[in-house]
Amino acid sequence: MEPIILASSSPRRQEILKRMNIPYAVVPADIEEIIPEEIGATEAPEYLAAKKVEAVARRLTNNQEVGWILGADTIIYQRGKIYGKPKSPQEASDFLRELSGTTHKVITGIVLYNGKLHDFTSRTSINKVTFAEISEDTIEWYINTNEWHGAAGGYKIQGLASIFISKIEGTESSIMGLPIHELYDMLVEQNYQFTK
């Protein structure tokens, strides 16, 4: 199989590619994750994923032939507010307080660049996660674990934060940041060879 360049340093996304037996190389995009006002919450992750792919493609095409580049982005959305990655423990605490006892959307956008065809394919996966009520002591404990760092909404579903979750509508891989079904569908559409 041809290796895919992952425009992200996310261990969760790497874990999913390993699970799918897809060889990959990590080349973080290192972009400012700014969403223009005219971009809605549903479109925002796909927009940011495309920006990551474009940044990596620009960097690499000067030095080498690019085969495949994969970008992904995840946001949490609730009551008209987009929750990205918290910038501080205080912001992470505030996020968890606001999400406590509610249902929110986890929206993941993925973009795949096919270097042979110079073609972009994209998908968005929307899931719902319901949190039980979280006490102040539990929020403080969770923040002290540092697991919130680098995670949309300030939590990671596959880690300790799973104790907050009373219900999931959707797929765990999408909530982790890389929806397996959508990625497979895109790769098949682009004639990626799983057997070579």
Side-chain angles (χ1 to χ4, degrees), residues 3 17 21 30 40 49 52 55 58 91 95 109 111 114 123 137 168 175 187:
L17 288 177
N21 240 1
D30 197 27
K52 291 176 183 180
R58 270 195 308 274
E91 188 172 39
F95 283 3
V111 173
N114 180 336
R123 298 280 189 283
D137 286 347
I168 291 174
I175 297 165
L187 288 165

Side-chain angles (χ1 to χ4, degrees), residues 6 12-13 39 67 80 110 146 157 171 177-178 191 193 196:
L6 178 62
R12 296 175 304 285
R13 293 185 179 120
I39 303 283
I110 55 175
N146 281 325
I157 184 179
T171 62
L178 192 59
N191 294 314
Q193 298 300 308
K196 292 183 182 177

Side-chain angles (χ1 to χ4, degrees), residues 7-89:
S8 166
S9 57
S10 163
R12 296 175 304 285
R13 293 185 179 120
Q14 293 175 51
E15 180 187 317
I16 289 167
L17 288 177
K18 282 179 195 164
R19 199 187 303 174
M20 294 177 75
N21 240 1
I22 295 174
Y24 66 90
V26 174
V27 181
D30 197 27
I31 63 160
E32 271 195 83
E33 296 187 11
I34 298 169
I35 304 164
E37 285 182 21
E38 67 273 13
I39 303 283
T42 306
E43 297 81 32
E46 213 172 282
Y47 168 85
L48 291 172
K51 291 290 178 195
K52 291 176 183 180
V53 169
E54 288 163 10
V56 170
R58 270 195 308 274
R59 194 178 335 147
L60 294 178
T61 47
N62 296 332
N63 309 317
Q64 66 191 77
E65 184 180 318
V66 176
W68 304 89
I69 304 173
L70 175 64
D73 197 83
T74 301
I75 63 160
I76 306 295
Y77 184 71
Q78 180 191 233
R79 298 178 187 149
K81 179 177 177 178
I82 292 175
Y83 295 77
K85 297 169 186 164
K87 297 176 181 66
S88 67

Side-chain angles (χ1 to χ4, degrees), residues 103-157:
T103 298
H104 56 270
K105 288 181 181 176
V106 180
I107 307 170
T108 297
I110 55 175
V111 173
L112 179 70
Y113 174 68
N114 180 336
K116 291 175 188 161
L117 301 177
H118 303 286
D119 188 37
F120 290 87
T121 311
S122 62
R123 298 280 189 283
T124 293
S125 175
I126 301 174
N127 304 266
K128 289 182 180 177
V129 173
T130 302
F131 271 13
E133 294 285 346
I134 312 169
S135 71
E136 285 298 318
D137 286 347
T138 304
I139 289 172
E140 185 180 345
W141 162 79
Y142 184 73
I143 297 306
N144 287 333
T145 69
N146 281 325
E147 190 178 88
W148 60 269
H149 190 73
Y155 75 93
K156 295 177 182 170
I157 184 179

